[in-house]
Amino acid sequence: MPSIRPAAVAGYFYPAHPETLSNDVARMLQAAHARREPGTLVALIEPHAGYVYSGQAAAEGYTLLDGLTFPTVVIVGPSHREYFRGVSVFPGEAYRTPLGDVPLAHDLRKQLLAHAPWILVSEAGHRSEHAIEVQLPFLQQTLGSFSFLPLVLGDQRREVCDMLGTTLADVLQGRDVLLIASSDLSHYHPYHEAVALDRSVIEAVEAFDDERLMHDLEREVVEACGGGPMVAVMQCAKRLGATRSHVLTYYNSGDVTGQHDAVVGYLCAAFYREPADKQRGS
């Protein structure tokens, strides 16, 4: 079992050369327009397609990290290539990208597993999965030094999302942690059909309504490959005191390529805890 998970999609989803990758990420961050809202940033929803498609959407969220420090990041993503029941956490020491190794948060992993023995300690969902990996170069560029916990949902049933959201909140209470849900939206519909499908997801996120999102996912009236991670992270963020959501950007691959026959949607959103003075009612 490898101790370090090698970069699986470098040279495919993003540049493999460190300098090129660093320059590309810096360029996208510089072009981002999002600004932090009042309060404490608790969580982000970030897309996970190739940078040429969704990188600028991702940058809108990661630019909010400018000047902030988060010693620990928890990333929750879907499994695109392997099916397994429940949730897996990587058993090794680090994930590797062209910008270096990102260490796992060992103490947090140990504490989470003590609370949730149903979580698998396994490479399942991590070996060739891109949803978590593509987030790391942005975090390396913005946060510098941090440890992280990569969690992959092998299936996205309501009970799995609920258990993960609740357990994460219990374990993360009092910790200075950033939550990230990795998800794209609808896949390969004509442009206007995709926009209509994605609008329903955006409305649920704007309303900070994880129950509505889960209900629509179960009825299959919306699409999001990381819908389960979105629900779990929204639930966890609420339990950690987040009260507001802010959709930072939405577009789809047709807006990038000009090809509108079969597009993929990209959403970026942030979740905030109210400032201390508002919590006191002043």
Side-chain angles (χ1 to χ4, degrees):
M1 185 179 297
S3 176
I4 295 177
R5 189 266 195 193
V9 294
Y12 177 38
F13 276 65
Y14 60 85
H17 190 276
E19 184 176 359
T20 304
L21 174 57
S22 181
N23 289 340
D24 280 2
V25 171
R27 173 182 50 78
M28 289 184 284
L29 289 168
Q30 188 172 13
H33 301 292
R35 295 293 179 267
R36 277 201 301 271
E37 297 283 301
T40 301
L41 180 65
V42 177
L44 295 169
I45 293 173
E46 292 283 0
H48 56 227
Y51 283 8
V52 68
Y53 297 105
S54 69
Q56 193 56 56
E60 296 295 328
Y62 287 118
T63 195
L64 301 181
L65 303 184
D66 183 37
L68 300 181
T69 57
F70 285 99
T72 309
V73 179
V74 176
I75 308 178
V76 185
S79 180
H80 288 87
R81 296 172 179 83
E82 297 180 83
Y83 175 80
F84 55 92
R85 292 184 69 82
V87 180
S88 71
V89 61
F90 184 65
E93 299 295 315
Y95 263 51
R96 177 165 292 164
T97 82
L99 301 184
D101 293 349
V102 183
L104 262 73
H106 302 294
D107 289 346
L108 180 56
R109 180 174 60 188
K110 182 178 180 180
Q111 188 177 358
L112 177 65
L113 292 171
H115 279 70
W118 49 271
I119 293 179
L120 305 174
V121 183
S122 172
E123 290 183 87
H126 296 269
R127 280 176 278 250
S128 58
E129 178 57 53
H130 64 275
I132 289 176
E133 179 182 333
V134 298
Q135 311 301 336
L136 295 178
F138 278 100
L139 289 164
Q140 289 172 293
Q141 195 93 340
T142 53
L143 293 181
S145 177
F146 66 98
S147 63
F148 88 119
L149 193 67
L151 298 169
V152 177
L153 272 68
D155 75 277
Q156 300 186 37
R157 289 169 294 133
R158 176 185 289 267
E159 53 265 40
V160 173
C161 301
D162 290 347
M163 286 193 300
L164 182 59
T166 300
T167 304
L168 272 178
D170 290 342
V171 172
L172 297 179
Q173 289 290 342
R175 288 179 177 262
D176 188 10
V177 174
L178 175 67
L179 291 161
I180 297 174
S182 180
S183 183
D184 292 338
L185 299 191
S186 65
H187 281 55
Y188 310 130
H189 297 280
Y191 186 96
H192 294 294
E193 182 180 330
V195 169
L197 280 169
D198 294 344
R199 171 45 55 186
S200 294
V201 176
I202 293 167
E203 288 173 353
V205 171
E206 285 178 328
F208 207 163
D209 192 342
D210 51 276
E211 172 56 35
R212 171 181 168 180
L213 178 57
M214 188 75 249
H215 181 259
D216 287 350
L217 289 166
E218 289 177 323
R219 292 172 57 224
E220 298 183 348
V221 296
V222 299
E223 293 179 12
C225 54
M230 290 169 64
V231 168
V233 164
M234 289 168 70
Q235 289 184 358
C236 181
K238 277 185 178 178
R239 290 174 177 269
L240 294 177
T243 57
R244 290 182 294 110
S245 63
H246 183 206
V247 171
L248 303 170
T249 192
Y250 164 77
Y251 62 82
N252 63 48
S253 58
D255 297 309
V256 177
T257 66
Q259 299 175 355
H260 290 181
D261 55 332
V263 304
V264 179
Y266 312 120
L267 167 70
C268 187
F271 301 86
Y272 292 91
R273 188 163 51 238
E274 295 291 351
D277 57 348
K278 275 200 169 185
Q279 292 179 6
R280 291 193 298 266
S282 58

